[in-house]
Amino acid sequence: MKALLEALKPNDPDRSLALSIDPQRLPAHVAIIMDGNGRWANSRNMPRVAGHKAGIEPVRITVETCARLGIQVLTLYAFSVENWKRPRAEVDTLWRLLRIYLRKELNNLMEHEIQLSAIGRLEGLPIEIQRELHAAEDATASNTGLRVNLAINYGGRAELVDALNVLLDEARDAGRLSELRIDEEAIASRLYTAGLPDPDLLIRTSGEMRISNFLLWQIAYAELYVTETYWPDFRRRDLLEAIVDYQKRERRFGGLKRSELNGKRWSGAVAVPTQ
Ligand code: IPE
Ligand code: IPE
Ligand code: MG
């Protein structure tokens, strides 16, 4: 948070917005469905790929702002397992843009101590994309700041299927298949996001009110925030507005409001996460 305020000029219009954010109650994990690139381009009579190209700058800005705010994890939905249904030329352009992003941003990632990780069925990606992703992961592996997950060839259902198959394989290899019992921890610790906090805030741009197969398990209690802004127009102000909105919510996790509890104790054995 301090780093963000230091980066803002005294007369920057985002300053008062940033100052209204409580640094003690930041979301630990922000996840974003970056949507609306095609419509952004169409509205300008440009080809869809121009929207994808214009979508790189907000990625850069969002990553940098999250790092400066002191957010722990940012997960960006870049390509779903269903996006292969799109024309070949559009998909190829996305891979080209991803390579450009990785090459151009590496210095910036290092400077901000950002650790990059790709999540999804990476083995299904073109081999040179796999190589570049792994190179960027290796280069940033010992950075200790913001963790950025790029969800590529990602599907929430595919992730669950993969996690369950890992569980089955482990039990089979240990000769314990017949005793296998599954609990929530067994699943959570085999997801691509194992060890990371669940998203507190899920942002979707371009006004669509759907999840589109993103982080199905992890968003059980995420606060949802949908903005009409198309992804290529998403700027630091939009992110700060989403966080301000998030901080106005009362998260109950199935319990009651603090005011309704008034001295009464929680009844049960289930731990209620506090903020
Ligand atoms: C999101 O923008 C980017 C990807 C899915 C890769 P879209 O390409 O889905 O843009 P719209 O939704 O068609 O406007
Ligand atoms: C979700 O957007 C996937 C990404 C943002 C990468 P889509 O544009 O693919 O989702 P739908 O088809 O509108 O649900
Ligand atoms: Mg879309």
Side-chain angles (χ1 to χ4, degrees), residues 33-39 48 52 83 86 204-206 208 210 212:
I33 302 175
M34 309 183 289
D35 197 18
N37 294 355
R39 278 163 286 165
R48 289 180 56 83
H52 296 315
N83 287 148
R86 298 184 180 201
R204 183 165 188 152
T205 58
S206 88
E208 303 289 6
R210 57 176 171 266
S212 302

Side-chain angles (χ1 to χ4, degrees), residues 158-168 186-188 190-192:
E159 180 181 33
L160 280 165
V161 167
D162 290 350
L164 294 175
N165 277 320
V166 168
L167 264 169
L168 281 174
I187 295 176
R190 284 158 184 90
L191 297 174
Y192 309 142

Side-chain angles (χ1 to χ4, degrees), residues 15 18 32 64 71 74-75 140 176 192 197 241:
R15 200 175 173 82
I32 307 184
E64 201 170 295
I71 282 168
L74 171 69
T75 300
T140 62
R176 292 169 175 263
Y192 309 142
E241 281 173 354

Side-chain angles (χ1 to χ4, degrees), residues 40-209:
W40 180 92
N42 281 341
S43 70
R44 284 167 171 71
N45 291 318
M46 290 157 91
R48 289 180 56 83
V49 291
H52 296 315
K53 192 160 174 237
I56 292 189
E57 180 66 1
V59 171
R60 214 184 51 69
I61 293 171
T62 302
V63 167
E64 201 170 295
T65 306
C66 285
R68 288 194 164 128
L69 272 168
I71 282 168
Q72 289 173 40
V73 186
L74 171 69
T75 300
L76 298 172
Y77 203 5
F79 191 87
S80 75
V81 289
E82 285 84 19
N83 287 148
W84 293 104
K85 295 174 188 164
R86 298 184 180 201
R88 175 77 193 260
E90 179 171 342
V91 173
D92 284 348
T93 300
L94 287 169
W95 302 144
R96 197 170 52 78
L97 291 170
L98 177 61
R99 291 176 83 170
I100 291 172
Y101 171 79
L102 292 174
R103 280 181 199 169
K104 273 178 89 171
E105 280 309 297
L106 191 58
N107 283 343
N108 211 18
L109 298 178
M110 298 308 286
E111 193 184 312
H112 288 94
E113 281 287 328
I114 293 164
Q115 191 199 339
L116 189 82
S117 172
I119 62 169
R121 287 191 169 159
L122 305 181
E123 65 281 6
L125 296 174
I127 192 72
E128 64 281 7
I129 297 296
Q130 292 184 43
R131 254 190 236 122
E132 299 224 13
L133 283 169
H134 288 140
E137 286 180 332
D138 289 347
T140 62
S142 52
N143 288 348
T144 55
L146 173 71
R147 156 83 171 254
V148 174
N149 296 319
L150 277 184
I152 305 174
N153 201 19
Y154 175 89
R157 289 183 174 182
E159 180 181 33
L160 280 165
V161 167
D162 290 350
L164 294 175
N165 277 320
V166 168
L167 264 169
L168 281 174
D169 289 346
E170 285 172 2
R172 191 180 298 113
D173 293 349
R176 292 169 175 263
L177 197 52
S178 61
E179 299 148 45
L180 179 62
R181 273 279 164 282
I182 293 174
D183 59 16
E184 291 191 7
E185 170 53 24
I187 295 176
S189 62
R190 284 158 184 90
L191 297 174
Y192 309 142
T193 54
L196 301 177
D198 285 340
D200 301 291
L201 171 62
L202 172 64
I203 300 172
R204 183 165 188 152
T205 58
S206 88
E208 303 289 6
M209 300 280 189

